[in-house]
Amino acid sequence: MRATLVALLFLCVGAAQARAEEVLEDARKENVQSAGKRRVKEETGAKEQHQEPGKERSNEQNGARSQVEPRGADAPNAQTLGRDQSGVYVNAPATNSAYSPSFVMRGFPSGLTLFDGASHGFTAQDVDLSTVDHVEFYKGPSAMLFGKALGGYGGAANYIRKAPTQETFAHAVATKASFDVTRFTADVNTPLNDEKSLLFRFTGSAQTLGSFVNFTRTRSFDIAPMIAFAADNGDRISLRAEHNGARLVWRDGLPADPVFLHVPKEFYAGLPANEHETPFFDDLTLRYEHAFNADWKVAAVVDYFLYASRWGWFTGWGYDGFQSVVFGNPVRARTANRSFDAQLRLNGRFDTGFLAHSVFLGLEHWDFYFGYNNDIARYQAAPLNIFVPIYSPGVSYAGAFWSNGVARAISRSVYGQDLIDLNENWRILIGGRYDLLAQRERVFDPFGALTGEPTSSLSKGTRGYFSPRAGILYRPNEETQFFAAYGKSLIPNTGVRIQSGEAPPPQQDTQFELGLRREFLDRKMSFEVGLFDITRDNVAIPNPANPSGFYSVVTGQQHSHGVEVNLGGEILPNLKINAVATFLHALVSKDDNVPSQQGSDLLGAPRRVYSFSASYAFDTGELKGLEFGASYYYASRLEATLPNTYGFTLAPQQMLGASLAYSFSDNLKIELNAANLTNRPNWTSNGALFHGEPTTIAATLICKY
């Protein structure tokens, strides 16, 4: 029976994966042509509702299971982003900032950040939300946007950035909030010629962030101009640049021990003098599209991304078991990474007899480089007394030890899919991707300050990987869809050091998924349920033979399975609701080197998560322009350590939020938002403990011209 099911699922993965990508292509065109359609989509709910004759109305209906975080007046809200999505958990304190949190999807940390469908390497990345129009959450098969198998099957957040439109407008947004948060964002858009074929848009932000934790603060800015041109023959070309810079004092969190659940929430468990950071990044994206005819088109995308930072850390940060935080040797690091991604993709449609095919074929060259240089102080920093903390005014690196290293991964790939309409009720997808992955890593630690012994090593290797995916969709009527999906993916283990000097094998995910979607109330409401099972192989874990933790072994396996439920839409005129529930169990299913980890729940993977939100807007009468909303979020107990420690769990999270807004006119609006009204501690753990943000109030003034 299982073999039969596997064979059936292997015929298909997100039976609408290709269609989902096709929809996104069309959406990008609409971004250049008009912002009006996009606003209608966002204002009608949390799902994409693109309509095309004879095709499904959204990528979710195709089994892609993507969900959209609708934007507010200016940008998605960092405090609530992702918390109303099934299968998505934010394993970090909610913070009132312009930066997106990182996500745990279906029990696994999201290893990939997408921008308009493209990634900057294979890691998560901080995102300034002032440049973002809305966020799409891809889970399961749809996490492999643009055929990109790199990234893993847990899921990915796709940030759709603001693009030029044919309108002329200027938006300014000012926010003042608890804990000395001050933020200003600007958004200016204008055509550059009378024909409106040459368009320009500029977004920018500046902010200062305080915190309820002592010493923690951030100052940052972001500028992002974009120009787009549409030729008479339909060709489109766009060029986007972005620069982001910041200065901050990093928040370490607290060592994972129960005693720290009782320290004042303001306690800073680090040395501020060593933890000033100066990150910045530059991004440049060029996109070209050409349509041969109504059925065939080609697109080319080239993206160059550069990130660098100077930051401090410690070789032995933790708890001494008595009354102090210990640090080991202070380290000052300089790191940089560079990602180059180029894709060429052909999309087309054709018929063979009674079968209708939607196909694409893509080529990709992806090059990721990471380098670091560490200065390690010769002395250990003095412990920090928990009860009477005295912080050193400085850290000396005179005569410091040093180490450095570089890592590089290059992937040359080909991918393709065929989405076949058998009839009005049945659709299947067959696709795959082949990656020729080359990895190279050099480690140089001549004093053994980090590795425990003098080290000079070089590892490299090249290997090919095939990642199949397939799906099947059954639609008995316009309102109901069933789908099944199967797929594999891979994540390079670049930056993972193997003591033998060998190139580490990549992580590989295998997923099965079944789902149902049903629309009702004249398609204003929708109900979805999905079942998933994911196995992740070749997980890197610390090498128990090397106490420094510098080296790893790649032997682990993790497993996650669960159920996701979504209910949302416009239940009454002007009243919108969204309710989601996630039930999952994510655990270490294999660990040959640290047997105590086997069977442990993964960090950031609560077994139950519930979320409910409702909003109402008055559009007539004396209260016209008034909007209000409320939300409630619950996550069950979390494990605090891995391996799990008996009796040491974090209490369930509960967050109650409220919002109130009033539009004085089409050009002036004020918003008030409150988060964590009950002032719960809402602890999270990623190996360190973090106290959730207390009750916060934010006031925002939005001006439009």
Side-chain angles (χ1 to χ4, degrees):
M1 177 65 183
R2 179 170 180 176
T4 302
L5 178 61
V6 171
L8 173 63
L9 295 182
F10 189 78
L11 285 174
C12 54
V13 101
Q17 173 68 39
R19 178 68 192 127
E21 296 160 347
E22 192 176 300
V23 167
L24 288 174
E25 294 276 347
D26 296 338
R28 292 188 184 91
K29 292 184 179 180
E30 292 177 3
N31 283 339
V32 176
Q33 294 173 339
S34 170
K37 294 181 181 179
R38 185 175 64 251
R39 291 199 184 98
V40 169
K41 175 191 72 176
E42 292 160 357
E43 294 170 359
T44 55
K47 309 291 190 291
E48 284 192 307
Q49 296 296 326
H50 300 282
Q51 179 81 44
E52 183 173 338
K55 304 295 182 184
E56 278 68 29
R57 295 171 61 229
S58 75
N59 47 358
E60 284 184 282
Q61 292 171 297
N62 291 321
R65 298 188 60 73
S66 86
Q67 294 174 301
V68 177
E69 169 75 16
R71 68 182 177 100
D74 178 64
N77 186 334
Q79 286 185 306
T80 60
L81 184 62
R83 297 183 189 273
D84 60 352
Q85 308 290 332
S86 66
V88 178
Y89 176 74
V90 181
N91 191 33
T95 56
N96 192 344
S97 76
Y99 287 94
S100 171
S102 56
F103 306 103
V104 176
M105 298 190 182
R106 294 183 169 178
F108 299 117
S110 179
L112 191 68
T113 301
L114 297 172
F115 298 89
D116 303 317
S119 68
H120 299 149
F122 55 89
T123 58
Q125 176 190 329
D126 290 336
V127 181
D128 191 312
L129 292 174
S130 66
T131 68
V132 175
D133 185 87
H134 62 278
V135 184
E136 299 167 343
F137 290 91
Y138 288 93
K139 297 170 293 181
S142 58
M144 303 298 98
L145 191 65
F146 279 100
K148 195 175 185 67
L150 298 170
Y153 260 125
N158 186 26
Y159 297 85
I160 306 301
R161 297 179 290 194
K162 296 174 181 177
T165 75
Q166 292 185 348
E167 298 177 271
T168 298
F169 62 79
H171 295 172
V173 180
T175 299
K176 186 66 178 178
S178 306
F179 310 116
D180 296 324
V181 172
T182 303
R183 180 164 56 252
F184 176 80
T185 65
D187 184 1
V188 179
N189 184 90
T190 183
L192 297 180
N193 59 4
D194 294 336
E195 296 78 17
K196 296 185 177 181
S197 59
L198 185 62
L199 309 174
F200 174 78
R201 189 166 187 173
F202 172 88
T203 59
S205 70
Q207 69 172 344
T208 60
L209 305 174
S211 172
F212 65 93
V213 179
N214 293 335
F215 305 108
T216 304
R217 61 185 183 272
T218 300
R219 290 183 297 166
S220 67
F221 73 96
D222 188 282
I223 55 173
M226 181 175 180
I227 191 167
F229 175 72
D232 294 337
N233 65 353
D235 286 6
R236 301 175 185 276
I237 187 170
S238 64
L239 180 64
R240 183 186 187 278
E242 182 176 0
H243 175 77
N244 183 287
R247 298 179 65 89
L248 57 95
V249 175
W250 180 253
R251 179 184 172 190
D252 291 288
L254 302 166
D257 188 276
V259 69
F260 289 96
L261 298 178
H262 308 288
V263 302
K265 63 179 180 296
E266 298 85 7
F267 178 69
Y268 185 84
L271 293 182
N274 192 51
E275 296 179 74
H276 288 264
E277 298 192 16
T278 55
F280 79 89
F281 72 76
D282 293 295
D283 183 32
L284 189 66
T285 305
L286 176 67
R287 182 181 182 88
Y288 172 75
E289 299 178 8
H290 172 74
F292 299 103
N293 52 45
D295 294 325
W296 291 91
K297 59 185 176 182
V298 66
V301 181
V302 177
D303 183 273
Y304 181 85
F305 177 78
L306 176 66
Y307 171 89
S309 183
R310 182 181 174 90
W311 55 288
W313 56 284
F314 306 94
T315 59
W317 182 80
Y319 175 50
D320 69 355
F322 295 98
Q323 61 180 10
S324 297
V325 177
V326 295
F327 300 107
N329 297 72
V331 182
R332 198 67 184 163
R334 294 179 296 277
T335 61
N337 66 65
R338 181 262 300 154
S339 172
F340 176 80
D341 185 82
Q343 294 194 51
L344 180 65
R345 174 169 164 156
L346 177 68
N347 288 61
R349 300 176 183 172
F350 64 93
D351 296 332
T352 55
F354 66 91
L355 301 179
H357 300 262
S358 297
V359 300
F360 68 76
L361 179 66
L363 300 174
E364 180 175 20
H365 174 83
W366 171 77
D367 189 335
F368 178 82
Y369 170 88
F370 171 75
Y372 63 90
N373 187 75
N374 295 313
D375 292 323
I376 305 101
R378 286 182 172 268
Y379 69 93
Q380 292 193 358
L384 181 69
N385 189 291
I386 299 172
F387 307 103
V388 188
I390 299 176
Y391 297 92
S392 172
V395 176
S396 173
Y397 286 97
F401 300 113
W402 56 269
S403 71
N404 58 43
V406 295
R408 189 176 184 185
I410 300 175
S411 174
R412 297 179 177 88
S413 312
V414 58
Y415 57 88
Q417 286 187 170
D418 187 4
L419 181 62
I420 306 170
D421 286 308
L422 303 177
N423 53 44
E424 293 183 354
N425 304 107
W426 289 92
R427 167 177 285 183
I428 65 172
L429 177 145
I430 300 175
R433 175 186 177 100
Y434 181 80
D435 291 277
L436 185 61
L437 178 64
Q439 299 179 84
R440 180 185 178 95
E441 178 145 6
R442 183 183 67 83
V443 178
F444 191 38
D445 184 18
F447 304 102
L450 294 178
T451 59
E453 58 186 18
T455 298
S456 178
S457 66
L458 177 69
S459 64
K460 55 185 176 180
T462 302
R463 186 176 174 184
Y465 299 88
F466 178 65
S467 304
R469 51 184 172 157
I472 187 166
L473 175 73
Y474 172 61
R475 187 179 63 179
N477 52 58
E478 290 290 332
E479 292 78 27
T480 308
Q481 298 186 31
F482 300 88
F483 73 90
Y486 163 85
K488 293 182 72 71
S489 69
L490 71 107
I491 311 171
N493 269 320
T494 301
V496 174
R497 293 170 287 267
I498 306 297
Q499 198 159 5
S500 65
E502 300 173 356
Q507 292 184 23
Q508 291 189 282
D509 294 0
T510 303
Q511 172 162 292
F512 299 90
E513 184 174 2
L514 299 171
L516 159 70
R517 177 183 172 91
R518 172 72 179 176
E519 294 181 324
F520 51 97
L521 292 184
D522 195 26
R523 295 188 136 181
K524 294 181 179 179
M525 292 284 294
S526 65
F527 170 78
E528 299 175 54
V529 60
L531 292 80
F532 61 88
D533 185 282
I534 310 171
T535 301
R536 173 165 291 182
D537 291 298
N538 295 334
V539 177
I541 60 173
N543 187 342
N546 185 267
S548 70
F550 189 82
Y551 289 109
S552 298
V553 290
V554 182
T555 61
Q557 183 186 84
Q558 298 173 354
H559 179 251
S560 174
H561 62 276
V563 180
E564 299 171 351
V565 181
N566 302 268
L567 175 67
E570 191 172 16
I571 192 170
L572 293 172
N574 301 327
L575 177 61
K576 300 173 183 176
I577 66 168
N578 185 66
V580 301
T582 304
F583 309 89
L584 68 79
H585 189 195
L587 72 159
V588 177
S589 51
K590 178 184 176 183
D591 193 331
D592 294 336
N593 292 277
V594 187
S596 60
Q597 286 202 150
Q598 190 161 328
S600 292
D601 284 12
L602 299 181
L603 299 181
R607 297 196 181 191
R608 299 182 308 281
V609 178
Y610 312 116
S611 174
F612 176 81
S613 62
S615 63
Y616 187 86
F618 293 90
D619 58 1
T620 59
E622 295 182 356
L623 296 179
K624 181 179 179 180
L626 181 65
E627 305 171 28
F628 60 87
S631 63
Y632 175 73
Y633 179 85
Y634 172 89
S636 63
R637 286 185 173 273
L638 281 165
E639 295 293 339
T641 61
L642 187 67
N644 301 162
T645 301
Y646 179 76
F648 184 23
T649 59
L650 304 179
Q653 291 186 29
Q654 297 185 61
M655 282 180 275
L656 183 65
S659 63
L660 180 67
Y662 184 76
S663 298
F664 297 96
S665 66
D666 291 339
N667 298 323
L668 184 63
K669 182 179 182 180
I670 189 169
E671 293 182 350
L672 293 175
N673 290 277
N676 194 15
L677 288 170
T678 56
N679 204 31
R680 301 269 299 184
N682 292 326
W683 289 94
T684 57
S685 174
N686 61 8
L689 304 180
F690 290 86
H691 191 293
E693 196 166 55
T695 301
T696 60
I697 306 293
T700 300
L701 182 66
I702 303 157
C703 301
K704 302 180 181 180
Y705 171 76

